[in-house]
Amino acid sequence: MTGALTTVDSKELTRQATPNFSNALGGVVPGIVSRQTSGEPGYDSASLLIRGLGTWLSASPLVLVDGIERDINVVDATDIESFSVLKDASATAVYGMRGANGVILINTKKGSATKPIITFRTEMTDLNGMRFDNFINAADFATLMNEACGMDGMIMPWSDEEIETFRDHSDPYNYPDNDWTSMILKKHAFQTMNNLSVSGGNERVRYYVSFGFSSQSGLLKQDPAYEYRTNSLFQRYNFRSNVDINITKSLSVSLGLSETIEHRNYPGTAAGDIFNSLKISSPLAYPAVNPDNSLG
């Protein structure tokens, strides 16, 4: 082979605690550039480029799993036997135009002529938000409003007594002081990844079967006033079965089955709109909850 090809040990790919396999490739595979634009569970997969942009409309590489084109994010990293990246034109020539942006070849594990081998792997991860905006409180907000109005020759909207009421929280309904970030977001989220596999066989029949489950929650707090989930949640179930049968010395049959089931739960408002509201909502605009427990 004269083309540019990179192979990665499967053990390197399982060191990243991420349900989406595309997020485990950045900095691991030479020549691959990954870009993750969201941290929301279920939408946090990364876009991949091999040696930059190859075409105008879609620059994503061709991904083949056991010879079948599939989404790279539905592959369980623990099921991967070999991972190869074809980068230049000579290496991807056999794929024609489809290989213009590079090709990723993934082969999943197969059984061997051994006694049954049972492998179980579980991970539990505490996820932390990278950055939380620290906005000023209502008293400082009212003070700056007075300063801005004074510089423009306008009447100051708040008296010194009212600003002190904001500060001491003695009248939270008429003079609220909302820290929207701490009210809406929590500091930690939970993630778990689990996989159970069984492999073995004899000289005639070999098998590999695996079951996987991963779950990741978001940073939105659960509102106790509602029975339904107000936090985001992403869950995935993976199943894979590879069976190889030697019918004769010169004839063999391989059967590969895979299934992915995903469950997603999100609040009624998009995450981008929620974070935008956190930034533009004044701490003194209205109380979060009224005295009768209705929304402010």
Side-chain angles (χ1 to χ4, degrees):
M1 168 159 296
T2 60
L5 180 146
T6 299
T7 59
V8 182
D9 189 349
S10 59
K11 294 181 179 179
E12 292 288 334
L13 302 175
T14 57
R15 292 183 177 182
Q16 304 292 333
T18 171
N20 286 314
F21 183 58
S22 59
N23 293 330
L25 301 179
V28 176
V29 183
I32 283 189
V33 177
S34 64
R35 181 171 181 263
Q36 182 180 351
T37 59
S38 174
E40 187 177 15
Y43 293 107
D44 58 344
S45 60
S47 58
L48 301 177
L49 296 177
I50 298 179
R51 290 187 172 181
L53 298 173
T55 56
W56 284 107
L57 297 179
S58 175
S60 300
L62 175 65
V63 179
L64 299 178
V65 181
D66 292 334
I68 306 299
E69 183 177 358
R70 297 202 65 187
D71 181 4
I72 193 171
N73 290 301
V74 302
V75 180
D76 195 325
T78 57
D79 292 335
I80 296 177
E81 179 69 27
S82 64
F83 182 92
S84 304
V85 180
L86 310 182
K87 301 177 182 179
D88 63 358
S90 60
T92 62
V94 67
Y95 299 99
M97 295 180 59
R98 296 299 309 276
N101 295 302
V103 181
I104 296 177
L105 302 178
I106 298 176
N107 290 325
T108 58
K109 295 179 180 179
K110 295 181 178 294
S112 56
T114 60
K115 294 181 179 180
I117 300 175
I118 301 176
T119 305
F120 176 69
R121 174 173 177 169
T122 182
E123 299 179 25
M124 296 184 182
T125 308
D126 179 30
L127 304 177
N128 302 312
M130 295 182 62
R131 187 188 68 187
F132 294 88
D133 293 327
N134 185 21
F135 297 106
I136 61 177
N137 57 33
D140 294 338
F141 194 90
T143 302
L144 291 176
M145 289 179 65
N146 283 350
E147 181 180 341
C149 292
M151 295 180 67
D152 289 340
M154 302 170 59
I155 299 177
M156 296 184 181
W158 306 106
S159 65
D160 293 340
E161 291 78 10
E162 288 176 314
I163 293 178
E164 186 59 31
T165 305
F166 282 123
R167 195 179 307 278
D168 60 24
H169 301 158
S170 58
D171 188 359
Y173 297 110
N174 293 315
Y175 298 90
D177 182 13
N178 298 313
D179 182 0
W180 295 112
T181 301
S182 62
M183 294 171 61
I184 301 300
L185 302 179
K186 56 183 181 180
K187 300 292 184 180
H188 303 275
F190 178 74
Q191 174 183 291
T192 180
M193 299 172 59
N194 309 273
N195 182 270
L196 174 64
S197 64
V198 181
S199 63
N202 51 42
E203 296 298 331
R204 186 178 182 86
V205 179
R206 296 169 300 280
Y207 60 88
Y208 172 84
V209 180
S210 73
F211 302 88
F213 169 73
S214 59
S215 176
Q216 184 182 37
S217 62
L219 293 174
L220 300 174
K221 287 186 175 179
Q222 174 66 34
D223 192 335
Y226 299 94
E227 296 181 358
Y228 55 82
R229 179 183 294 274
T230 56
N231 188 16
S232 54
L233 176 67
F234 172 73
Q235 293 179 325
R236 174 186 290 146
Y237 300 86
N238 289 83
F239 167 76
R240 180 171 295 277
S241 173
N242 290 332
V243 179
D244 299 281
I245 304 175
N246 293 335
I247 298 178
T248 65
K249 292 183 178 181
S250 59
L251 179 63
S252 63
V253 175
S254 298
L255 176 62
L257 301 175
S258 66
E259 177 73 17
T260 301
I261 300 176
E262 293 183 355
H263 170 73
R264 301 169 184 247
N265 188 98
Y266 300 102
T269 301
D273 294 335
I274 294 176
F275 278 86
N276 185 59
S277 297
L278 290 176
K279 296 179 180 180
I280 66 175
S281 297
S282 163
L284 53 77
Y286 49 84
V289 181
N290 294 318
D292 60 354
N293 291 325
S294 63
L295 295 179

